[in-house]
Amino acid sequence: MLAPLAAFSQPAATMKVESGSGTVISRHIYGQFAEHLGRCIYDGFWIDPKLPVPRQGRIRMDIVNALRKIRIPNLRWPGGCFADEYHWRDGIGTPKNRAKMVNTNWGGVVEDNSFGTHEFLELCKLLNCEPYISGNVGSGTPEEMSKWVEYLNFDGQSPMANLRKQNGHPEPYKVSFWGVGNESWGCGGNMTAQFYSDQYRRFATFAKDYPNAKLKKIAAGASDFDYNWTETMMKNVGRRMWGLSLHYYTVPTGNWNKKGSATNFSEEEYFNTMERCLRMEELVTKHSAIMDRYDPERKVALVVDEWGIWTDVEPGTNPGFLYQQNSMRDALIAASTLNIFNNHAERVKMANLAQTVNVLQSLILTRGAKMLLTPTYHVFDLFKHHHDGKLLPVRLSAPDYRLNGKSIPSLNASASVDKDGVVHVTLVNLDPSREIILASDFGAGSRAFTAGKILSSESVTDVNTFEKPETVIVREFNAVAKKGNGYEVKVPAHAVVMLTFR
Ligand code: AHR
């Protein structure tokens, strides 16, 4: 029996964790994104050998080791918008002979192509994650894409397989996740949905499956609320794709010309940001409902391969580099979004936060030899226990967080059980000032609460800096008490909590 709401003087909530239907929360929901943009690749993952940090070749190993700890499952590359102006043959062979180009999308800087196909796949090997490559549809050709796939995946005698061997990699890379264009409605070619759906069919025809290297083709999907795009793709492409993407960014002010500061914001702006973030629930629900009509068996994945908060850049930094700080607010966005994805795991089988290092909602920021883990990184650390767990649906009844006559749910949650029978529950309290008392059975049955962790700090504007990198970090959490057949948890204001039951 759950305690009645009236029993509490503080805001109270109840939660019922149900037994699952077998839906698996794919670890690929926890994917990352690394574009040739600002300081994500260059001066991020890929460094000047003179920088005094551990490295393998030019790959920065403190970053690799931090990402291995949170077990990132896949890395999307080379874009983003960059993907549709990237010609892969510029990025293979002897580095000093590689063509230089201008990165027209991101700051007009020189791209020297020193980080190309082999370097990316070496990085994925070090990270122990799967590569997710976005092919060029916008300014490329079916032939160019076809040859890239042959170069990567064919194990035999062919012009491209031989070239790969000449370049030092006899074995095929067996890349599986394959993006057919990016944002084809915008920077990827300004196409209509109908035109792109035909282009997808054409390009995808020549992106071949080679023996033991079957592609999971992911079509460029809708932006935000563009349901017509999803409808058109499902109607004209349907099961010819493994996944259909969706991009949605949380812009604090809702105004792309003045998005709002990453660190300096009022409670009103905080509220509006969280309200926008939670729209992911509506987006996933409505895009999925369209997909359900054409694919009731849910074979085609919804792949949210760009998401996160997008603010104004840090003052004094290159506006084309999209470098932004990361606060406790970002952590609450990440955790709430991941809870939404978990709860829709029957359709959302993959997602990619934008972007891993030094760009947008980063996991990691660097300055010279220094590196810090952002609050968002710590969320991925807490949530890694959901990877490939079986979803346990939650029924939540919680008070609203209200401001200026508007309201949003204060609490969100998801739960899973892993292969050893351990239950993990992640809770987010978005209310910036009120603790919530939650009564729940936690679906634990005879299981007992064993451990709790919390990510919180004094203010939602708190950040980790190079001088103080441990302001927002994970700590032990014990405000869990046995109550009747269940437990009572005091979830502090603006906090992310992870509970374990065995
Ligand atoms: O992540 C930054 C950019 O946002 C990507 O290049 C593009 O796909 C999107 O518009």
Side-chain angles (χ1 to χ4, degrees), residues 56-112:
Q56 185 142 322
R58 288 180 61 185
I59 295 175
R60 187 169 172 161
M61 290 306 288
D62 51 354
I63 293 181
V64 168
N65 292 332
L67 295 176
R68 278 183 74 108
K69 185 166 172 267
I70 57 171
R71 303 200 288 261
I72 70 163
N74 70 71
L75 188 62
R76 179 173 184 249
W77 174 85
C81 295
F82 182 79
D84 280 293
E85 63 174 13
Y86 183 62
H87 300 285
W88 68 274
R89 292 188 79 151
D90 292 344
I92 56 170
T94 311
K96 71 173 174 17
N97 296 338
R98 295 185 191 175
K100 293 191 169 50
M101 64 181 277
V102 53
N103 189 334
T104 58
N105 285 292
W106 307 117
V109 294
V110 174
E111 161 66 59
D112 70 4

Side-chain angles (χ1 to χ4, degrees), residues 33 35-37 76 78-84 105-106 182-183 185 187-188 247 249 256 305-307 310 322 353-355 359-360:
F33 174 29
E35 181 166 9
H36 287 234
L37 193 180
R76 179 173 184 249
C81 295
F82 182 79
D84 280 293
N105 285 292
W106 307 117
N182 168 73
E183 296 198 349
W185 39 264
C187 64
H247 288 183
Y249 286 99
W256 281 92
D305 55 11
E306 287 187 30
W307 66 272
W310 192 324
L322 311 186
L353 175 70
Q355 301 195 6
V359 170
L360 299 177

Side-chain angles (χ1 to χ4, degrees), residues 157-176:
Q157 291 293 332
S158 81
M160 290 303 109
N162 292 345
L163 184 59
R164 183 192 69 235
K165 289 172 202 164
Q166 266 173 42
N167 286 333
H169 206 277
E171 301 300 322
Y173 284 109
K174 296 190 184 163
V175 171
S176 159

